[in-house]
Amino acid sequence: MRKTGIAVALLLFSLQSAATTLVWTIENAVFFDNTTLTGSFTYNSESGLISDLLIQTQPGIVQGATYTTEDIDAFYNNINLGLSIDDDENLPFGMALTLFFDSPLPEEGGVVTLNALESRFLKFPWRELSTDAYIVSSPVPIPGALILMFSALGVLARRRKQSVQIA
């Protein structure tokens, strides 16, 4: 009985661990000049770290750009409000993109409404989204959490097999 309890606890802990890291994907994001904003980033709500950011915009009234994790601005990195990213490689003609979230990113994932503003370092011309854009999350399995989960499932399976043989 004790082994079963430990296995269930490990299984629940592994599922909780995996939920803190989510991939957020931009969907339905179209600027008023009919160009698109696409991409995603990984956010760990426990550590507050953003990784694997890759966001692209198409050229329109302003040049398009590709933004990566290295482009995140430290001065406006409050993930509960939004995210400011600039394309430092193309100075002095680089682009800046600011993402605004209508609510904090939930630990369990879900859908959050998004607005965005892109310009040449906040100078005119600029463009913003014209559609009801949003970001959607999906969990990223953490290797350690997967090991815990499969270990717990193995213990439960062995325990069940022993119960069947006894009966």
Side-chain angles (χ1 to χ4, degrees):
M1 184 68 168
R2 183 174 176 205
K3 287 183 180 178
T4 303
I6 291 171
V8 170
L10 285 173
L11 183 62
L12 292 174
F13 178 75
S14 71
L15 294 175
Q16 179 184 8
S17 297
T20 60
T21 301
L22 299 171
V23 173
W24 291 89
T25 304
I26 298 169
E27 297 193 5
N28 197 43
V30 179
F31 289 107
F32 67 77
D33 62 353
N34 290 323
T35 58
T36 59
L37 167 68
T38 57
S40 63
F41 60 91
T42 301
Y43 176 64
N44 183 305
S45 59
E46 192 172 297
S47 67
L49 294 177
I50 298 168
S51 60
D52 302 324
L53 183 133
L54 180 61
I55 297 176
Q56 297 177 314
T57 59
Q58 292 178 314
I61 64 165
V62 295
Q63 71 189 48
T66 297
Y67 304 95
T68 65
T69 306
E70 292 77 32
D71 298 324
I72 297 171
D73 281 345
F75 71 89
Y76 189 69
N77 187 9
N78 182 344
I79 197 68
N80 290 324
L81 302 174
L83 192 57
S84 184
I85 315 160
D86 56 47
D87 177 18
D88 290 332
E89 290 180 17
N90 296 316
L91 290 174
F93 303 107
M95 298 296 294
L97 175 69
T98 303
L99 305 176
F100 302 98
F101 310 134
D102 76 341
S103 64
L105 301 182
E107 282 188 29
E108 66 279 0
V111 178
V112 175
T113 303
L114 169 74
N115 199 353
L117 179 69
E118 184 180 43
S119 68
R120 181 170 287 160
F121 287 112
L122 303 178
K123 297 177 185 171
F124 288 104
W126 53 268
R127 60 183 173 182
E128 64 182 318
L129 297 177
S130 63
T131 59
D132 292 332
Y134 46 92
I135 53 175
V136 179
S137 66
S138 57
V140 175
I142 300 170
L146 291 176
I147 292 168
L148 283 174
M149 181 179 75
F150 287 120
S151 298
L153 289 174
V155 169
L156 288 174
R158 246 183 277 127
R159 180 80 176 148
R160 182 166 183 203
K161 186 177 180 181
Q162 288 174 353
S163 297
V164 171
Q165 289 175 352
I166 293 172

